Amino acid sequence: QASCNPSRSCLHTLSPKPHIATMPQWGDKIDGKEVVLRTLRSDSLEVDVTNFGATLSAVRVLNKSEWIDVLLGYESLDRYLQGGKPNFSSAVGRCANRIAGGTFDLDGHTYTLEKNNGPNHLHGGTKGFWQEIFEVVSYNDNSITLSLFSPDGHMGYPGNLQLYITYEVRGNELHFSYEGKTDQATLLNLTNHGYWNLKGHHAGTILDHKLMVNASHTTAVDENLTITGELNSLKGTAADLREDLHLISDVVDQAGPLDANYCLTLEGPDASEKVGSKAGELLAARVEAPNGISMEVWTDQPGIQVYTGNFVGLPEHPDTWHGKGAKWHKFSGLCLEPQLWPDGIHHKNFPSPILRPDETYRQHSWHVFSTQ
């Protein structure tokens, strides 16, 4: 297998490394690496970012002269380390979502991954990116760029991977930009696993939120949530969330709790031939809360995982579901995660997650917050 030292130019072609000012340490060092917390600001939006897992720990929206924290998260590094929720508003990788059987074939080689979700591999494994200490490349008052070197063989994935993530606040917008390079063919499918409650993370459930998702199909799953390769048409079903805003409590009552990859549509609700195309950036979803705060999710990705917090508050994890002075229960958070369709390595009709050495992985998604 090819090898590449992280200091060599083959993997450091994406971003410069300017001098940065000292940032305050957030908790104890981990394996000799400092963990820091930085707040990105505009007049209407504040975002707390830590280099532990490239995690967002808070997102505050200014609503009628009051700052509302609309993201579930923890108040300290210890809370993430001691019983914290994996992938909790953090970067997810190398591959978001599930890979069937925890194995895949690529260029004549079979690679075995950790099976950490029944028979499948989920979100990059138990030591995925959410546990990594990213390097702070640069920051200013409204943006921060983080980098991570993921070595060949980590969690079973091939190739030395150099990753850059930039979070940027632009007025009322929060932007997520990802870039990645590898020295060997590998898989890469990134997202942020944020749990959102626009009333405030402490303010009950999201069942009274209204939701629109611009998708005509979902990727079908079996009883183990393994992707089958088939597409389910949403037309005429209670899970069809196109066009109008739909009260989430009604959707859950009629379609059941949601945990599905919605296949985004570029050219209107009936343009099924455009499902999965990456021709441009589009409005993937919109959610509104009764307090007047709304959030749009824009992306250049072909899918968005929609999860209504069905397993939040499970009693077998009592140390997990509380933070920042609040206790969270079932349906306390809504996840809207732009990404490639899951398990694309096993389905040729899906957008491919394969990244090769002569390619650069790029993704751009952003959230637009508005108030009445």
Side-chain angles (χ1 to χ4, degrees), residues 97-98 117 122-123 193 195 218-222 224-225 227 239 251-252 255-262 304-311 331 334-335 337 339 342:
N97 226 304
R98 292 167 179 84
N117 185 251
L122 177 67
H123 291 336
H193 205 318
Y195 286 71
T218 57
T219 45
V221 298
D222 66 14
N224 294 314
L225 298 180
I227 300 295
V251 175
V252 169
L258 300 181
D259 187 7
N261 171 66
Y262 276 66
I304 186 169
Q305 186 78 14
V306 179
Y307 173 57
T308 49
N310 321 329
F311 300 109
F331 303 125
L334 172 68
C335 299
E337 308 160 56
Q339 57 191 266

Side-chain angles (χ1 to χ4, degrees), residues 41-42 44-45 142 168-175 177 364:
R41 292 184 173 92
S42 73
S44 58
L45 189 61
N142 55 26
E168 182 179 6
V169 170
R170 304 179 192 170
N172 63 334
E173 300 177 359
L174 171 58
H175 288 253
S177 298
H364 179 213

